[in-house]
Amino acid sequence: MSFLNKIFGRGKNDAVDKANKSAPAESPLIVPRDQHTLSRSQVSPQALKVLYGLKDAGFEAYLVGGCVRDLLLGFEPKDFDVATDASPEQVHKIFKKSRLIGRRFKLVHVGFGRDVIEVATFRAPPEAEQHIDQQGRIMRDNVFGTLEQDAWRRDFTINALYYNIRDFSIVDYTGGIADLQAGKIKLIGDVETRYREDPVRILRALRFVGKLSLTLDGETETHIAALAKLLLDIPAARLFDEVLKLYLSGKAVETHQLLVKYGVFAYLFPESARLIAAAPDSIVARLLTRALENTDKRIQEGKPVTPAFLFAAILWGPTSERWLRYQNNKIPTIPALQKAANEVISEQVQRVAVPKRFTLVTRDIWLLQIRLTMRQGKRGFRLLTHPKFRAGYDFLLLRADAGEPFEELAQWWTDFQFAEESEQQKMVNGLAPEPKNKKKRRRRRKPAAKKVADAPVVDKA
Ligand code: ATP
Ligand code: MG
């Protein structure tokens, strides 16, 4: 991969040859400052302050993880992580604006507001059996260690590169530089053990493939399908965090394809995965792809994206399937959709804990699909003021785009929104009258026996 060559500014590098031949190296590969392209000017001022603060207090300080990897690859890092030999308490003492966080492993967050720099003390690998459960999962790993130990306990070789603030060199214990040059994502150590220790590494591996356009190294790839089921043991809250990272990376289309290809999607969204596997070219599959394309585009344009919309798209398959089934079972259209939505969401959040503030909006987006078909009288006007109108309308466009028969309805709403009021009134007047409901006979005495006699009728656009 040509863009990797620029890691090294000048010609051939003996140390890299050595790492290529004998990774993992016993002693680290050290790439001096003049032989790589990572420069201080690319590092955020806050991160530099933290690095120098630690150094000036007599400690070791390194940038590590995704930021080093991304800078060497020419991407802008999402955040800057610092590793040090100072204990969390010592770090906290050095920086006034800092706080200790974390239960499983203590970390320090320096600086508040938008730019938080996470500072972690070098960590030792989990000490053999006592911290490992029956599945091989790490239960506790809070033992401080050396830089070398810290490198080996990390997930992938390309995530274990350290930028030393003392001499601006890059320190590589695990062969990360060579793998970065080869464009390989490779787990450190025994692959099966490392996936078992923390199955979320499966999601991370696929996320990095999607996001960085690298490829999975042999065993790092081959064990995924067989071990993906271990994701069932991961708490739903953690899976929610990971799902957001997977789908909001700006490369959701690629990443989603990888999740499907390796059978991982089924452990995150079982119902949706079942439908997509049964009919990969179906309307709901297309709708999801379109939604992901839009998400990527919005992220690239720096526009906000709401997870609620993403989940509305991912879960529309199972929801619309049930909606139809319930309507066929004579449940009126609105209660049928409400029932379908409630069931799908409550089953799904047990797997991926989407917080209520998002699922409420997801539900709104779905229910608006009915309301958008009811435009007569004042309804159309009222709907424009609905707080989630825009999301509901966007979702309708998506459905039309994916092949549902809503082209005309979507166009009507597009025109209606931007028309003058008099024009809007004309548009409403021009609508075909809603099919009349059968006349109700007023019964004064008896309370209504059937509550749902007058289900709203969905007009066909
Ligand atoms: P990005 O921030 O771009 O998503 P990242 O690699 O920085 O990618 P983080 O979650 O910020 O990901 O983690 C920072 C670093 O911590 C990683 O690069 C890796 O070295 C280490 N790390 C994170 N998660 C794990 C894990 N599950 N197992 C081992 N090491 C991990
Ligand atoms: Mg990071």
Side-chain angles (χ1 to χ4, degrees):
M1 281 175 137
S2 62
F3 68 90
L4 291 177
N5 292 334
K6 69 180 175 165
I7 291 173
F8 300 99
R10 313 188 179 163
K12 196 167 146 60
N13 186 294
D14 290 344
V16 178
D17 284 349
K18 176 178 162 238
N20 274 321
K21 281 187 203 117
S22 61
E26 320 77 46
S27 56
L29 163 68
I30 294 180
V31 186
R33 63 185 296 186
D34 62 348
Q35 290 188 30
H36 63 75
T37 55
L38 201 166
S39 85
R40 263 171 304 167
S41 61
Q42 297 167 297
V43 179
S44 83
Q46 290 85 351
L48 285 176
K49 258 187 223 151
V50 172
L51 290 165
Y52 281 117
L54 289 165
K55 174 180 167 270
D56 294 344
F59 295 104
E60 288 181 59
Y62 299 83
L63 280 181
V64 63
C67 58
V68 178
R69 176 198 69 212
D70 290 353
L71 286 174
L72 290 175
L73 287 173
F75 293 107
E76 200 184 319
K78 210 173 65 193
D79 45 35
F80 289 89
D81 294 324
V82 171
T84 178
D85 61 346
S87 71
E89 288 74 16
Q90 287 169 323
V91 177
H92 182 48
K93 261 194 206 143
I94 296 171
F95 301 101
K96 257 197 248 144
K97 281 194 174 175
S98 71
R99 61 191 177 111
L100 288 157
I101 60 144
R103 270 173 293 159
R104 186 155 157 247
F105 189 85
K106 271 206 191 117
L107 298 167
V108 184
H109 275 181
V110 184
F112 297 100
R114 277 207 300 143
D115 294 297
V116 171
I117 306 296
E118 193 165 285
V119 184
T121 306
F122 296 147
R123 225 183 282 185
E127 277 165 327
E129 294 98 80
Q130 77 212 59
H131 296 312
I132 307 270
D133 75 0
Q134 282 176 340
Q135 314 292 327
R137 218 159 26 121
I138 302 178
M139 301 313 286
R140 204 154 55 83
D141 60 337
N142 52 359
V143 188
F144 297 134
T146 62
L147 169 64
E148 179 170 4
Q149 287 176 315
D150 192 76
W152 289 105
R153 63 98 196 159
R154 288 180 183 272
D155 48 6
F156 304 99
T157 61
I158 59 168
N159 284 350
L161 298 171
Y162 296 77
Y163 176 71
N164 190 350
I165 200 63
R166 209 168 282 281
D167 60 6
F168 314 117
S169 65
I170 290 174
V171 183
D172 174 17
Y173 278 96
T174 65
I177 285 283
D179 288 336
L180 208 54
Q181 277 204 307
K184 289 266 176 237
I185 295 177
K186 185 175 174 188
L187 267 173
I188 296 171
D190 177 67
V191 170
E192 185 170 347
T193 309
R194 300 307 309 282
Y195 279 142
R196 283 187 181 278
E197 274 175 6
D198 183 2
V200 165
R201 288 171 186 154
I202 291 172
L203 301 180
R204 290 175 57 81
L206 298 180
R207 176 156 67 88
F208 296 134
V209 173
K211 181 172 136 172
L212 307 169
S213 305
L214 305 182
T215 52
L216 292 167
D217 187 61
E219 280 198 62
T220 300
E221 176 176 22
T222 50
H223 283 78
I224 291 182
L227 297 175
K229 61 176 180 290
L230 296 173
L231 287 167
L232 293 173
D233 299 329
I234 301 298
R238 186 162 177 221
L239 288 185
F240 170 71
D241 292 342
E242 293 300 323
V243 163
L244 282 195
K245 289 188 209 162
L246 286 162
Y247 284 95
L248 301 182
S249 65
K251 287 288 177 72
V253 174
E254 289 85 345
T255 308
H256 174 72
Q257 279 168 358
L258 292 163
L259 291 171
V260 171
K261 174 178 166 192
Y262 289 96
V264 174
F265 187 60
Y267 292 103
L268 300 172
F269 298 97
E271 287 289 290
S272 313
R274 175 180 60 76
L275 289 175
I276 290 176
D281 291 323
S282 61
I283 285 179
V284 290
R286 263 207 309 272
L287 179 138
L288 179 51
T289 308
R290 295 278 155 86
L292 299 180
E293 284 165 0
N294 289 353
T295 306
D296 287 345
K297 191 158 165 269
R298 288 185 70 87
I299 289 173
Q300 270 141 34
E301 290 167 356
K303 291 184 185 161
V305 291
T306 161
F309 195 86
L310 181 69
F311 291 109
I314 296 178
L315 298 172
W316 181 241
T319 305
S320 55
E321 187 193 50
R322 282 189 206 210
W323 182 27
L324 188 66
R325 182 153 28 100
Y326 294 145
Q327 288 183 102
N328 289 340
N329 290 346
K330 303 281 180 282
I331 302 180
T333 186
I334 292 179
L337 181 54
Q338 280 167 334
K339 183 170 157 64
N342 290 346
E343 288 175 2
V344 167
I345 287 174
S346 64
E347 280 167 27
Q348 181 58 54
V349 295
Q350 294 176 27
R351 195 84 286 281
V352 175
V354 184
K356 214 166 187 151
R357 66 177 187 281
F358 296 131
T359 60
L360 286 175
V361 178
T362 299
R363 213 183 300 246
D364 273 352
I365 291 171
W366 289 338
L367 284 161
L368 275 164
Q369 300 311 299
I370 298 177
R371 294 190 59 186
L372 283 162
T373 65
M374 305 190 301
R375 300 162 285 170
Q376 263 81 8
K378 297 256 177 288
R379 285 166 167 182
F381 289 99
R382 266 208 302 270
L383 213 51
L384 286 182
T385 64
H386 189 289
K388 298 297 165 219
F389 168 79
R390 181 73 210 192
Y393 160 75
D394 282 344
F395 199 74
L396 180 72
L397 290 185
L398 206 57
R399 293 172 68 201
D401 212 21
E404 287 197 67
F406 292 124
E407 201 77 16
E408 213 179 295
L409 180 65
Q411 188 59 50
W412 190 92
W413 278 106
T414 305
D415 298 338
F416 188 65
Q417 279 175 78
F418 303 109
E420 299 279 325
E421 211 179 319
S422 58
E423 183 56 31
Q424 286 179 323
Q425 193 55 58
K426 274 192 214 147
M427 289 179 73
V428 171
N429 296 343
L431 290 171
E434 276 185 34
K436 287 221 171 73
N437 294 323
K438 274 185 216 145
K439 274 234 161 126
K440 275 186 278 181
R441 231 171 29 100
R442 282 193 177 221
R443 288 186 228 164
R444 286 220 151 171
R445 295 275 168 106
K446 250 184 169 176
K450 275 192 212 156
K451 279 190 203 143
V452 286
D454 288 299
V457 179
V458 181
D459 69 21
K460 292 238 161 63

